[in-house]
Amino acid sequence: MMKKRILAIIFTIFLTSIFSTSLPVLAADESVENIKSKGTLVVGTSADFPPYEFHATIDGKDNIVGMDISIAEKIAEDLGVELEVQDIGFDSLLPALEVGKVDIIVAGMSATNERRESVDFSDVYYIGGQNIVVRPSDNEIYTSKGDLNAKKIGVQTGSIQESLAKDQMPESSIMSLSKITDLILALKTNKIEAIIMEKPSAMAYVANDKDLATFDGGFILEEDEQGAAVAVKKGSSNLVEAINQSISTINENNLTEDYLKEAGQLLKESQGPQEQTKTMFNYWNYFAKGTGYTILISVVSVFFGSILGIILSLMRMSERKIVRIPAIAYVEFVRGTPMMIQIMFIYFAVGYLINIPALASGIIAVSLNSGAYICEIIRSGLNSVDKGQTEAARSLGMSKQTAMRYIIFPQALKNIWPALGNEFITVIKESSIVSIIGVSDLIFQTKIVTSLSYRGIAPLAVTMVIYFMLTFSLTKLLNYYERKMNHDQI
Ligand code: ARG
């Protein structure tokens, strides 16, 4: 027991030290050269923020569009490279930039002094203003932020709205969610009374949804909180300069106006009121893509997890301490930390050393996690076989290996099999956490459908049914094999 605790402490210290060492800033600024030699500019955004950035179906295909994306396109064009857009949760954007998952952030992000401590910003390209979004029936009751004191207010996690709520509405209770689309749903289902949102975004949501209303929040903003700018990794002054040049051409030619108009048009076409008459069947391709990814992640992870689990369980049963202890430590550590942190750790921290794409990071993290559980499944399966069996086999002259292979393991399999099936089912459900790093699994796709359809409950219901169909058919399949296995052995 004591040993385990010490191990856990060592691991924690190890991890915190990795996280806290500030990484050295490169002496020479090669930010622009790097992007040019890659040939692509990777832009991080949080596409829940019309008209800045949002999902839209164009010619039956899902696209991320909006003013910010047009700006990013212009920057990429001026640099002479391709543009790649990554949709990440707003609160994960800064870490993604710091570890180099993305080259720049264009997400309507305010260039606050606080953020300037960890990243650099371009010139401001747009000034929005702060609104409050409410249900239309409350539009007369609430007219300013003062009326909402002591009420439940929704804000996006990590946004300046979160601090505005804390500082200027100290009596209210705050609900922070990472997607604005989820906040809208919370508002519509009376979980919160209001949402603080950037004005252009509030207007965009209200224009396309008769169940929402908005007014100026009357917030007082510090100078540095007012405008949206492009964020880059600290020390990339050449990149900042290049971006500023693009921004100044945009300003000279009043291009933001055009971008906004275009965004408004796309928003109306793909998320307008006509969308609200559509049924969930219209979004089947979104669900299908998500289901495909969820199945892929689960199958691959359980496969690699099983290999890892077998190796770990063999290690655990070894007579040599030096082999046994690492396996025990691994299992304890993995089981003792949340999978969400493990996924983020692989994606961000390990990804700092080697750049692993989101899908691969997700699969690696889920496999590593599952391996620990599968190890325990195998171990307890083997333990459940009576000791007498080994003794009998050995006294018949069988070697240890032969006894394990022909006597113990076949009996253990009967216990291992159903537990392994359960693990598979767990992985199908729990792998949904990979959506936080932007893998388009079923949960991620559900959120897109929520934002496209302006409906919160229907997409959830569809997703629930899909998950159930997946797990139920798996159960049936496993039962079939289990019966067959029992039959074979009689
Ligand atoms: N301007 C606010 C901020 O920087 C909110 C930005 C939210 N952006 C988004 N893509 N959801 O905190």
Side-chain angles (χ1 to χ4, degrees):
M1 203 56 214
M2 193 59 202
K3 263 190 204 149
K4 275 184 198 161
R5 207 163 290 162
I6 293 171
L7 271 171
I9 293 171
I10 294 174
F11 259 100
T12 323
I13 294 172
F14 163 71
L15 289 182
T16 19
S17 62
I18 294 191
F19 267 123
S20 56
T21 30
S22 52
L23 299 150
V25 180
L26 289 182
D29 172 20
E30 292 175 348
S31 47
V32 173
E33 285 83 348
N34 285 345
I35 293 168
K36 284 192 176 159
S37 67
K38 263 195 311 180
T40 35
L41 176 70
V42 185
V43 172
T45 196
S46 171
D48 56 355
F49 204 49
Y52 293 82
E53 50 263 337
F54 53 98
H55 284 269
T57 324
I58 300 169
D59 298 332
K61 274 188 72 187
D62 179 48
N63 278 283
I64 298 175
V65 292
M67 167 175 74
D68 281 352
I69 308 303
S70 307
I71 292 177
E73 265 162 14
K74 176 88 178 98
I75 297 171
E77 188 192 305
D78 291 349
L79 286 170
V81 294
E82 295 287 313
L83 179 71
E84 183 190 320
V85 181
Q86 281 193 19
D87 183 14
I88 318 176
F90 188 73
D91 47 343
S92 297
L93 285 171
L94 288 178
L97 178 64
E98 281 172 84
V99 302
K101 287 284 163 193
V102 297
D103 299 316
I104 61 174
I105 300 174
V106 195
M109 185 177 269
S110 315
T112 63
N113 291 336
E114 208 182 328
R115 290 177 180 148
R116 276 182 200 278
E117 283 175 17
S118 49
V119 295
D120 286 345
F121 279 103
S122 70
D123 293 339
V124 164
Y125 61 80
Y126 195 76
I127 295 183
Q130 304 301 318
N131 264 34
I132 288 179
V133 177
V134 293
R135 291 178 292 270
S137 53
D138 289 347
N139 208 7
E140 259 134 56
I141 311 173
Y142 306 129
T143 51
S144 76
K145 71 174 197 296
D147 301 337
L148 282 153
N149 246 345
K151 293 271 166 9
K152 270 204 158 157
I153 310 294
V155 289
Q156 186 166 37
T157 318
S159 68
I160 59 162
Q161 286 75 20
E162 194 174 33
S163 27
L164 287 179
K166 278 185 192 146
D167 299 342
Q168 298 182 34
M169 302 171 86
E171 249 126 84
S172 58
S173 61
I174 299 164
M175 174 159 146
S176 298
L177 295 180
S178 76
K179 286 273 161 197
I180 294 181
T181 38
D182 290 338
L183 289 170
I184 300 276
L185 178 59
L187 179 68
K188 286 187 177 177
T189 51
N190 303 323
K191 302 278 178 298
I192 49 178
E193 294 301 301
I195 308 172
I196 311 177
M197 222 193 275
E198 218 96 348
K199 184 173 176 186
S201 197
M203 302 293 260
Y205 272 105
V206 172
N208 291 309
D209 193 335
K210 57 180 185 341
D211 294 328
L212 296 172
T214 185
F215 53 85
D216 188 327
F219 290 96
I220 306 145
L221 266 82
E222 303 285 333
E223 179 91 27
D224 64 300
E225 291 174 328
Q226 290 190 2
V230 179
V232 302
K233 210 168 173 170
K234 236 188 161 34
S236 324
S237 42
N238 291 345
L239 186 55
V240 172
E241 210 169 290
I243 295 172
N244 283 345
Q245 236 154 44
S246 306
I247 291 180
S248 76
T249 353
I250 290 173
N251 287 344
E252 274 160 29
N253 300 306
N254 251 339
L255 291 179
T256 21
E257 292 291 307
D258 301 348
Y259 295 161
L260 276 174
K261 229 179 259 156
E262 204 181 310
Q265 191 55 35
L266 283 170
L267 192 62
K268 216 153 128 214
E269 278 164 23
S270 85
Q271 305 194 5
Q274 78 282 359
E275 282 296 297
Q276 291 180 351
T277 59
K278 281 190 179 172
T279 66
M280 281 296 121
F281 285 113
N282 291 88
Y283 303 101
W284 72 270
N285 49 340
Y286 287 88
F287 290 113
K289 180 176 172 200
T291 310
Y293 272 99
T294 291
I295 294 178
L296 174 78
I297 297 164
S298 313
V299 171
V300 178
S301 301
V302 168
F303 176 75
F304 285 115
S306 301
I307 297 179
L308 179 64
I310 292 171
I311 298 173
L312 284 170
S313 61
L314 290 177
M315 285 171 72
R316 273 204 82 153
M317 286 180 309
S318 160
E319 264 142 35
R320 275 193 276 152
K321 248 190 172 168
I322 192 147
V323 181
R324 210 169 56 227
I325 302 262
I328 296 177
Y330 180 85
V331 171
E332 291 302 325
F333 185 73
V334 169
R335 290 199 306 177
T337 48
M339 181 143 88
M340 180 178 153
I341 305 290
Q342 296 165 1
I343 290 174
M344 290 179 72
F345 189 79
I346 300 277
Y347 185 59
F348 291 121
V350 179
Y352 187 82
L353 306 170
I354 1 162
N355 202 350
I356 320 171
L359 177 63
S361 303
I363 290 179
I364 293 174
V366 180
S367 308
L368 290 177
N369 179 285
S370 189
Y373 288 93
I374 294 178
C375 165
E376 287 304 279
I377 290 171
I378 298 176
R379 194 178 65 101
S380 63
L382 293 175
N383 279 348
S384 70
V385 180
D386 196 83
K387 271 231 152 48
Q389 297 284 327
T390 322
E391 284 159 13
R394 298 280 283 152
S395 65
L396 285 176
M398 287 189 195
S399 74
K400 243 183 159 179
Q401 271 79 4
T402 321
M404 176 58 93
R405 177 148 161 32
Y406 294 102
I407 308 294
I408 313 301
F409 191 67
Q411 298 185 63
L413 202 58
K414 267 196 190 171
N415 287 324
I416 294 176
W417 189 249
L420 207 56
N422 279 340
E423 172 62 15
F424 202 160
I425 288 172
T426 308
V427 168
I428 292 182
K429 292 182 295 173
E430 298 306 306
S431 64
S432 59
I433 309 174
V434 297
S435 61
I436 52 168
I437 55 170
V439 178
S440 358
D441 81 319
L442 193 45
I443 296 289
F444 188 87
Q445 295 295 97
T446 307
K447 298 213 159 150
I448 297 181
V449 175
T450 310
S451 74
L452 287 174
S453 65
Y454 281 82
R455 259 172 309 184
I457 298 154
L460 289 184
V462 172
T463 304
M464 206 146 80
V465 171
I466 297 178
Y467 270 115
F468 181 69
M469 285 185 340
L470 288 180
T471 52
F472 190 66
S473 38
L474 184 63
T475 312
K476 285 272 159 236
L477 192 73
L478 289 166
N479 284 348
Y480 171 75
Y481 280 108
E482 204 178 318
R483 268 201 308 274
K484 213 171 139 182
M485 201 162 64
N486 286 342
H487 186 74
D488 287 351
Q489 276 172 9
I490 292 167

